[in-house]
Amino acid sequence: MAGVYEGAVQDLIDELGQLPGVGPKSAQRIAFHILSADADVVARLVNALTQVKERVRFCEICGNVSEGPRCRICEDPRRNPTVLCVVEEAKDVVAIERTREFRGRYHVLGGAINPIDGVGPDDLRIRELMTRLADGEVEEVILATDPNIEGEATATYLARLLRGMGIAVSRLASGLPVGGDLEYADEVTLGRAFEGRRRVES
Amino acid sequence: MAGVYEGAVQDLIDELGQLPGVGPKSAQRIAFHILSADADVVARLVNALTQVKERVRFCEICGNVSEGPRCRICEDPRRNPTVLCVVEEAKDVVAIERTREFRGRYHVLGGAINPIDGVGPDDLRIRELMTRLADGEVEEVILATDPNIEGEATATYLARLLRGMGIAVSRLASGLPVGGDLEYADEVTLGRAFEGRRRVES
């Protein structure tokens, strides 16, 4: 589609098309929306983009996103410091927080081990994790990396690393999604659901 | 999800979520991409957004997007001034240009008649269209509004308006999309394809 639009519109479509999940069609749709949107709507979006880059950084303890040197969870004295949940990305923290099931603390790795993309253990915040665990306060580490090849490999790597430290290491349960249909589950998930089946009292 | 993220990140997610086709999940994904993107990537996006609002306007003749008072197509002396293609939006101009089938000129209405959304004929660039047709240079008007209820209503309205002016009025053909499977066509499209069937020489 190069050259179809004049300069500024095409430039915007190109920039929008670089965003994750935005294909050429969506980029065009968003660009035309911007074109006919009120100037203050666009000013708010520009401001939000600028502010995020200026104000947001990563928590010096856990690696979560934060506007101060430490994130709200690390600053919260009510959070249990003996349970640490290890996740790949800051957005995983949000997903887990939304469940309201977990009251411990987090450690964000910044990704998963992925040899194909050239991501090794040294590229993740694993050294920082080991430093946090050194003082012996943490009693349980929950490995909540993604249930895919990279996430499993990372969990296996970390489980080995934590062996013999006297820390309980666990992994989130795999199984059928709640509210889903059994017939739509893929075979790996269904297999895991069988493997992890639980006795029902009768 | 309100309150889950801290200020600036949540603000960006909210602003992104206002864009067409960007749901809460995509907005979150884009926001985290922005967070970890290089500062110059974000600067380029911010600049593209700002430039579009500053430099792009609408062609004073046809209503297409343009960086000057008149768009490239209206300025091009090689375009046939006797055939006028009427479309709803500037992005329809791009779609038609991509076919390289049409060498006439355009008129962008800025939408379609839609009583539910309160869009009547006076909200579209119909008065401008009639002014353009007044000098008698245009011999054919192709009504290329969308093949949906609003587009059909607009085409019918315009066809009536143009009656008795000595101008040939046509509508784009409806039928099966090329490269598609007949069994996947909806019944209205299939009905139109039967209606508009063409004799094959044998």
Coordinates of all heavy atoms in Angstrom, one line a residue, chain A residues 1-46:
Chain A
M1 N 0.8 -1.2 0.0 CA 0.0 0.0 0.0 C 0.9 1.3 0.0 O 0.4 2.4 0.1 CB -0.9 0.0 1.2 CG -1.7 -1.2 1.4 SD -3.3 -0.9 2.3 CE -2.7 -0.2 3.8
A2 N 2.2 1.1 -0.1 CA 3.1 2.2 0.0 C 2.7 3.3 -1.1 O 2.5 2.9 -2.2 CB 4.5 1.8 -0.2
G3 N 2.7 4.5 -0.7 CA 2.5 5.6 -1.6 C 1.1 5.9 -1.9 O 0.8 6.8 -2.7
V4 N 0.1 5.1 -1.4 CA -1.3 5.3 -1.7 C -1.8 6.6 -1.0 O -2.5 7.4 -1.6 CB -2.1 4.1 -1.3 CG1 -3.6 4.4 -1.5 CG2 -1.7 2.9 -2.1
Y5 N -1.3 6.7 0.2 CA -1.7 7.9 1.0 C -0.6 8.9 0.8 O 0.5 8.6 0.5 CB -1.9 7.6 2.4 CG -3.1 6.7 2.7 CD1 -3.0 5.4 2.9 CD2 -4.4 7.3 2.7 CE1 -4.1 4.6 3.1 CE2 -5.5 6.6 3.0 CZ -5.4 5.2 3.1 OH -6.4 4.4 3.3
E6 N -1.0 10.2 1.1 CA 0.0 11.2 1.1 C 0.8 11.2 2.4 O 0.4 10.6 3.4 CB -0.6 12.6 0.9 CG -1.3 12.7 -0.4 CD -1.8 14.0 -0.8 OE1 -1.1 15.0 -0.6 OE2 -3.0 14.1 -1.3
G7 N 2.0 11.8 2.4 CA 3.0 11.8 3.5 C 2.5 11.5 4.9 O 2.7 10.4 5.5
A8 N 1.9 12.5 5.6 CA 1.6 12.3 7.0 C 0.7 11.2 7.4 O 0.9 10.5 8.4 CB 1.0 13.7 7.6
V9 N -0.3 11.0 6.5 CA -1.3 9.9 6.8 C -0.6 8.5 6.7 O -0.7 7.7 7.6 CB -2.5 9.9 5.8 CG1 -3.4 8.8 6.1 CG2 -3.2 11.2 6.0
Q10 N 0.2 8.4 5.6 CA 1.0 7.1 5.5 C 2.0 6.9 6.6 O 2.1 5.8 7.1 CB 1.7 7.1 4.1 CG 2.3 5.8 3.7 CD 1.2 4.7 3.6 OE1 0.2 4.9 3.0 NE2 1.5 3.6 4.3
D11 N 2.6 8.0 7.0 CA 3.6 7.9 8.1 C 2.9 7.4 9.4 O 3.4 6.5 10.1 CB 4.2 9.3 8.5 CG 5.2 9.7 7.4 OD1 5.6 8.9 6.6 OD2 5.6 10.9 7.4
L12 N 1.7 7.9 9.7 CA 1.0 7.5 10.8 C 0.5 6.0 10.7 O 0.7 5.2 11.7 CB -0.3 8.4 11.1 CG -1.1 8.0 12.3 CD1 -0.3 8.0 13.6 CD2 -2.3 9.0 12.4
I13 N 0.1 5.6 9.5 CA -0.3 4.2 9.3 C 0.9 3.3 9.5 O 0.8 2.3 10.2 CB -0.9 4.0 7.9 CG1 -2.3 4.8 7.8 CG2 -1.1 2.5 7.6 CD1 -2.9 4.8 6.4
D14 N 2.0 3.7 9.0 CA 3.3 2.9 9.2 C 3.6 2.8 10.7 O 3.9 1.7 11.2 CB 4.4 3.5 8.5 CG 4.3 3.5 7.0 OD1 3.4 2.7 6.5 OD2 5.0 4.2 6.3
E15 N 3.6 3.9 11.4 CA 3.9 3.8 12.9 C 2.9 3.0 13.6 O 3.3 2.1 14.5 CB 4.0 5.2 13.5 CG 5.1 6.1 13.0 CD 6.5 5.5 13.2 OE1 6.6 4.7 14.2 OE2 7.4 5.8 12.4
L16 N 1.6 3.1 13.4 CA 0.6 2.4 14.1 C 0.7 0.9 13.7 O 0.5 0.0 14.6 CB -0.8 2.8 13.7 CG -1.2 4.2 14.2 CD1 -2.5 4.7 13.4 CD2 -1.4 4.2 15.7
G17 N 1.1 0.6 12.5 CA 1.3 -0.8 12.1 C 2.4 -1.6 12.8 O 2.5 -2.8 12.8
Q18 N 3.3 -0.8 13.5 CA 4.4 -1.4 14.2 C 3.9 -1.9 15.6 O 4.6 -2.7 16.3 CB 5.5 -0.4 14.5 CG 6.0 0.4 13.3 CD 6.9 -0.5 12.5 OE1 7.8 -1.2 13.0 NE2 6.8 -0.4 11.2
L19 N 2.7 -1.4 16.0 CA 2.2 -1.8 17.4 C 1.8 -3.3 17.4 O 1.3 -3.8 16.3 CB 1.1 -0.9 17.8 CG 1.5 0.6 17.9 CD1 0.2 1.4 18.2 CD2 2.5 0.8 18.9
P20 N 1.9 -4.0 18.5 CA 1.5 -5.4 18.5 C 0.0 -5.5 18.3 O -0.8 -4.8 18.9 CB 1.9 -5.8 19.9 CG 2.0 -4.6 20.7 CD 2.4 -3.5 19.8
G21 N -0.4 -6.5 17.5 CA -1.8 -6.7 17.2 C -2.5 -5.8 16.3 O -3.7 -5.8 16.1
V22 N -1.7 -4.8 15.8 CA -2.3 -3.8 14.8 C -1.9 -4.1 13.4 O -0.7 -3.9 13.1 CB -2.0 -2.4 15.2 CG1 -2.6 -1.4 14.2 CG2 -2.5 -2.1 16.6
G23 N -2.7 -4.7 12.6 CA -2.4 -5.0 11.2 C -2.6 -3.8 10.3 O -3.0 -2.8 10.8
P24 N -2.3 -3.9 9.0 CA -2.4 -2.8 8.1 C -3.8 -2.2 8.1 O -4.0 -1.0 8.0 CB -2.1 -3.4 6.7 CG -1.4 -4.7 7.0 CD -1.8 -5.1 8.3
K25 N -4.9 -3.1 8.1 CA -6.3 -2.6 8.1 C -6.6 -1.8 9.3 O -7.2 -0.8 9.2 CB -7.2 -3.8 7.9 CG -7.3 -4.4 6.6 CD -8.4 -3.7 5.7 CE -8.3 -4.2 4.3 NZ -9.0 -3.3 3.4
S26 N -6.2 -2.3 10.5 CA -6.5 -1.6 11.7 C -5.8 -0.3 11.8 O -6.3 0.7 12.2 CB -6.1 -2.4 13.0 OG -6.5 -3.8 12.9
A27 N -4.5 -0.3 11.3 CA -3.7 0.9 11.3 C -4.4 2.0 10.5 O -4.5 3.1 10.9 CB -2.3 0.6 10.8
Q28 N -4.9 1.6 9.3 CA -5.6 2.5 8.5 C -6.9 3.0 9.1 O -7.1 4.3 9.1 CB -6.0 1.8 7.2 CG -6.7 2.7 6.1 CD -7.1 1.9 4.9 OE1 -6.4 1.1 4.3 NE2 -8.4 2.1 4.6
R29 N -7.6 2.1 9.8 CA -8.8 2.5 10.5 C -8.5 3.5 11.6 O -9.2 4.5 11.8 CB -9.5 1.2 11.0 CG -11.0 1.4 11.2 CD -11.6 0.0 11.5 NE -12.7 0.1 12.4 CZ -13.1 -0.8 13.2 NH1 -12.4 -1.9 13.3 NH2 -14.1 -0.6 14.0
I30 N -7.5 3.2 12.4 CA -7.2 4.1 13.5 C -6.7 5.4 13.0 O -7.1 6.5 13.5 CB -6.1 3.4 14.4 CG1 -6.6 2.2 15.1 CG2 -5.6 4.4 15.5 CD1 -5.6 1.3 15.8
A31 N -5.9 5.4 11.9 CA -5.4 6.7 11.3 C -6.5 7.6 10.9 O -6.5 8.8 11.1 CB -4.4 6.4 10.1
F32 N -7.5 7.0 10.2 CA -8.7 7.8 9.8 C -9.5 8.3 10.9 O -10.1 9.4 10.9 CB -9.5 7.0 8.7 CG -9.0 7.2 7.4 CD1 -8.1 6.3 6.8 CD2 -9.3 8.3 6.6 CE1 -7.5 6.5 5.6 CE2 -8.7 8.5 5.4 CZ -7.9 7.6 4.8
H33 N -9.5 7.5 12.0 CA -10.2 7.9 13.2 C -9.5 9.1 13.8 O -10.1 10.1 14.2 CB -10.2 6.7 14.2 CG -10.7 7.1 15.6 ND1 -12.0 7.2 16.0 CD2 -10.0 7.5 16.7 CE1 -12.1 7.6 17.2 NE2 -10.8 7.8 17.7
I34 N -8.2 9.1 13.8 CA -7.4 10.2 14.4 C -7.6 11.4 13.5 O -7.8 12.5 14.0 CB -5.9 9.8 14.3 CG1 -5.6 8.6 15.3 CG2 -5.0 11.0 14.6 CD1 -5.6 8.9 16.7
L35 N -7.6 11.2 12.2 CA -7.9 12.4 11.3 C -9.1 13.1 11.6 O -9.1 14.4 11.5 CB -8.0 11.8 9.8 CG -6.8 11.9 9.0 CD1 -7.0 11.2 7.7 CD2 -6.4 13.3 8.7
S36 N -10.2 12.4 11.9 CA -11.5 13.1 12.0 C -11.8 13.3 13.5 O -12.8 13.9 13.8 CB -12.6 12.3 11.3 OG -12.5 11.0 11.5
A37 N -10.9 12.9 14.4 CA -11.2 13.0 15.9 C -10.9 14.5 16.3 O -10.2 15.2 15.6 CB -10.3 12.1 16.7
D38 N -11.5 14.9 17.4 CA -11.3 16.2 17.9 C -9.8 16.3 18.3 O -9.2 15.4 18.8 CB -12.1 16.4 19.2 CG -13.6 16.7 18.8 OD1 -13.9 17.0 17.7 OD2 -14.4 16.6 19.7
A39 N -9.3 17.5 18.2 CA -7.9 17.8 18.5 C -7.5 17.4 19.9 O -6.4 16.9 20.2 CB -7.5 19.2 18.2
D40 N -8.5 17.6 20.9 CA -8.1 17.3 22.3 C -8.1 15.8 22.6 O -7.4 15.4 23.5 CB -9.0 18.1 23.2 CG -10.5 17.6 23.1 OD1 -11.0 17.6 22.0 OD2 -11.1 17.2 24.1
V41 N -8.8 15.0 21.8 CA -8.8 13.6 21.9 C -7.4 13.1 21.6 O -6.7 12.3 22.3 CB -9.8 12.9 21.0 CG1 -9.6 11.4 21.0 CG2 -11.2 13.2 21.5
V42 N -6.8 13.6 20.5 CA -5.5 13.2 20.0 C -4.5 13.8 21.0 O -3.5 13.1 21.3 CB -5.3 13.7 18.6 CG1 -3.9 13.3 18.1 CG2 -6.3 13.2 17.6
A43 N -4.7 15.0 21.5 CA -3.7 15.6 22.4 C -3.7 14.7 23.7 O -2.6 14.5 24.3 CB -4.2 17.0 22.8
R44 N -4.8 14.2 24.2 CA -4.8 13.3 25.3 C -4.0 12.0 25.1 O -3.3 11.6 26.0 CB -6.2 12.9 25.7 CG -6.9 14.0 26.6 CD -8.0 13.4 27.5 NE -8.9 12.5 26.8 CZ -10.0 13.0 26.2 NH1 -10.3 14.2 26.2 NH2 -10.8 12.1 25.6
L45 N -4.2 11.4 23.9 CA -3.5 10.2 23.5 C -2.0 10.5 23.5 O -1.2 9.7 24.0 CB -4.0 9.7 22.2 CG -3.2 8.5 21.6 CD1 -3.3 7.3 22.6 CD2 -3.8 8.1 20.3
V46 N -1.6 11.6 22.8 CA -0.2 12.0 22.7 C 0.4 12.2 24.1 O 1.5 11.7 24.5 CB 0.0 13.2 21.9 CG1 1.4 13.9 22.1 CG2 -0.2 12.9 20.4

